[in-house]
Amino acid sequence: DAMVIQNPRYQVTQFGKPVTLSCSQTLNHNVMYWYQQKSSQAPKLLFHYYDKDFNNEADTPDNFQSRRPNTSFCFLDIRSPGLGDAAMYLCATSKGQGKETQYFGPGTRLLVL
Amino acid sequence: EDQVTQSPEALRLQEGESSSLNCSYTVSGLRGLFWYRQDPGKGPEFLFTLYSAGEEKEKERLKATLTKKESFLHITAPKPEDSATYLCAALTSGTYKYIFGTGTRLKVLA
């Protein structure tokens, strides 16, 4: 089945220790998104790639970076995680940006000690 | 400012007790309205997309409707397995962004 896959499902890191979350998709979609979701809150868009074009949200901290080496994979790098970065990180894809449905992965729960 | 508001925040129903969840939106042009189901600790699961006022979509016990200002998710004769958080999102014409609501946490009691 075509899908969006995120690894790992749970990630524990130490305060200030860089961490990378990964996302892969078999849908062959052009757009990949990273969202941060905290408990009982709406998903918050961090950035997205349309093909190789990177689009950063204005309020995304510099601490968050992303890479998309090819169509299938996208990575979220948190350079120096703080306690406030503990959250669920969701990867999503869409075919384009017209009227497209977003499809989400299972998420990675990040815990910062 | 683009905004999506969902109500109620939480809803408890007895099994078989039908109800509706509301998603009100104020956006600069609507390209699509999306409903998702999210179980605890998991990513949102796609349910429906609605594109124009008057449109309706149905799947099992769920029915989504759309007007020019809001969308409803009707749940008919719910079962305990329908317990989840239901999220709606509006895709805006101006910025091509998906604006999410904070969700309705539904609990269906057996």
Side-chain angles (χ1 to χ4, degrees):
Chain A
D1 285 343
M3 57 176 54
V4 182
I5 301 162
Q6 289 188 246
N7 286 304
R9 294 294 314 279
Y10 300 93
Q11 177 74 57
V12 180
T13 191
Q14 292 179 337
F15 182 92
K17 184 175 181 180
V19 65
T20 294
L21 310 181
S22 73
C23 176
S24 63
Q25 53 123 345
T26 60
L27 296 161
N28 202 32
H29 282 175
N30 296 313
V31 193
M32 296 186 77
Y33 308 80
W34 280 105
Y35 288 87
Q36 178 192 67
Q37 187 180 30
K38 297 186 176 181
S39 182
S40 299
Q41 294 185 17
K44 177 181 181 297
L45 181 64
L46 297 173
F47 24 60
H48 74 276
Y49 275 95
Y50 193 120
D51 291 332
K52 295 182 179 180
D53 292 333
F54 178 70
N55 298 272
N56 197 31
E57 293 301 297
D59 57 354
T60 298
D62 293 339
N63 199 26
F64 291 85
Q65 305 283 319
S66 185
R67 296 169 284 135
R68 189 179 185 185
N70 55 52
T71 300
S72 300
F73 285 87
C74 195
F75 299 97
L76 170 61
D77 300 308
I78 308 177
R79 293 191 297 185
S80 181
L83 298 178
D85 296 327
M88 173 74 88
Y89 289 88
L90 298 167
C91 175
T93 72
S94 67
K95 189 173 183 180
Q97 287 187 300
K99 296 185 175 183
E100 308 295 343
T101 298
Q102 281 187 323
Y103 295 93
F104 285 83
T108 294
R109 171 74 65 186
L110 178 68
L111 182 61
V112 181
L113 300 177
Chain B
E1 181 184 352
D2 295 329
Q3 192 169 357
V4 172
T5 303
Q6 291 188 247
S7 62
E9 288 186 11
L11 181 63
R12 291 167 70 95
L13 298 173
Q14 290 295 129
E15 184 172 4
E17 179 187 0
S18 301
S19 188
S20 297
L21 312 183
N22 178 264
C23 172
S24 297
Y25 61 91
T26 306
V27 297
S28 52
L30 181 74
R31 297 187 70 84
L33 191 290
F34 305 87
W35 282 98
Y36 293 88
R37 170 190 170 128
Q38 187 172 27
D39 292 302
K42 296 187 177 181
E45 175 190 348
F46 169 69
L47 293 173
F48 303 110
T49 304
L50 301 165
Y51 292 113
S52 55
E55 189 175 359
E56 299 181 352
K57 294 274 181 72
E58 205 164 345
K59 177 182 177 181
E60 295 180 353
R61 295 179 292 283
L62 300 177
K63 180 180 177 180
T65 62
L66 181 65
T67 73
K68 290 186 178 180
K69 293 185 177 181
E70 57 193 349
S71 177
F72 292 93
L73 185 65
H74 307 279
I75 303 177
T76 302
K79 298 182 177 181
E81 52 261 43
D82 295 322
S83 298
T85 295
Y86 291 86
L87 294 168
C88 73
L91 176 60
T92 68
S93 292
T95 59
Y96 288 92
K97 289 188 178 178
Y98 298 82
I99 310 298
F100 279 86
T102 54
T104 293
R105 295 189 308 279
L106 174 66
K107 177 74 173 177
V108 182
L109 305 171

